[in-house]
Amino acid sequence: FRFLDKENLHAAINKDGTIWFTSSGNGTARYSPNSFYTFDKKDGLPDKLINWIFGNKNGEVFLTIEHQNLVRVSDEKVENISIPNIKEKYWTNNFLDLQSQGGDFWLSSTNGLYRYPKVSNFLDLNRTAPKKTYTIADGFFSNNVTSLFEDSRGDIWISALTTDNSLIRWEKSTEKIYRYTFEYGLPKSS
């Protein structure tokens, strides 16, 4: 087994056991015990850096590509949109974006965290206004959002670029922001 590109390689497995791989500039591949299929420029995938791969509870696969592109890959179909509000993402290549259990898209950027409502048609997302943009004004430590995670309650855990270790939790049941630092047990930055 040899990787096509040693840098910016991501892998994910969806609920049916299919494994997805991404490779910088080389597209993405889907592997199951019965098939292997690759997606690249010929399928409509942008010839750009794939920053992140994530899925949703329906087994759909999404790719975050560079700063503004969000791609959904379904069966052998590639749907590519550009999110106009997001001008830049932080340099990390992990846990950048997600679609929550409720269907909202949470998209990170250097100017805050964008929460888009669930849409019935993925291609409508680029014409949809965010429900909310979370920033320092909402209690974030920084507008440079670097990582996201949804827990089993549907709360969103957020990491933003700061000088000290810090963590933010958006609580689904109240839609409140909770801030955590080393005072709550997080290790201090070294």
Side-chain angles (χ1 to χ4, degrees), residues 51-56 62-71 83 86 88-90 92-100 104-110 112-116 125 145-150 156:
N51 298 82
W52 182 236
I53 183 171
F54 64 98
N56 64 16
F62 299 90
L63 306 171
T64 299
I65 299 180
E66 288 197 343
H67 304 299
Q68 290 184 300
N69 290 89
L70 187 60
V71 172
I83 306 294
I86 298 177
E88 188 173 349
K89 287 187 175 288
Y90 195 63
T92 62
N93 289 328
N94 57 338
F95 305 106
L96 290 172
D97 302 317
L98 63 83
Q99 186 180 24
S100 68
D104 287 357
F105 282 90
W106 294 77
L107 306 177
S108 65
S109 78
T110 56
L113 175 61
Y114 291 91
R115 178 184 175 199
Y116 285 87
L125 191 62
V145 176
T146 58
S147 299
L148 302 172
F149 175 79
E150 182 181 22
I156 306 295

Side-chain angles (χ1 to χ4, degrees), residues 54-58 60 62 98-106 115-120 125 131 149-156 170 172-173 175:
F54 64 98
N56 64 16
K57 67 180 183 178
N58 301 324
E60 296 173 310
F62 299 90
L98 63 83
Q99 186 180 24
S100 68
Q101 297 167 31
D104 287 357
F105 282 90
W106 294 77
R115 178 184 175 199
Y116 285 87
K118 179 180 181 178
V119 290
S120 57
L125 191 62
K131 270 186 177 178
F149 175 79
E150 182 181 22
D151 68 21
S152 61
R153 293 181 308 251
D155 294 355
I156 306 295
W170 173 86
K172 181 180 178 183
S173 63
E175 297 202 10

Side-chain angles (χ1 to χ4, degrees), residues 39 48 68 118-119 163 168 189:
F39 301 88
K48 297 178 180 178
Q68 290 184 300
K118 179 180 181 178
V119 290
T163 54
I168 302 160
S189 296

Side-chain angles (χ1 to χ4, degrees), residues 158-177:
I158 303 139
S159 175
L161 184 63
T162 60
T163 54
D164 285 320
N165 285 344
S166 59
L167 196 57
I168 302 160
R169 179 174 59 96
W170 173 86
E171 186 177 56
K172 181 180 178 183
S173 63
T174 63
E175 297 202 10
K176 287 185 181 178
I177 301 288

Side-chain angles (χ1 to χ4, degrees), residues 80-84 116 119 121-129:
N80 179 17
I81 60 171
S82 179
I83 306 294
Y116 285 87
V119 290
N121 181 344
F122 172 73
L123 296 175
D124 290 337
L125 191 62
N126 69 340
R127 295 183 293 277
T128 302

Side-chain angles (χ1 to χ4, degrees), residues 2 8 13-14 41-42 46 65 88 112 140 146 150 181 189:
R2 184 175 68 84
N8 299 310
I13 186 167
N14 69 8
K41 285 190 305 188
K42 69 178 173 15
I65 299 180
E88 188 173 349
F140 278 32
T146 58
E150 182 181 22
T181 62
S189 296

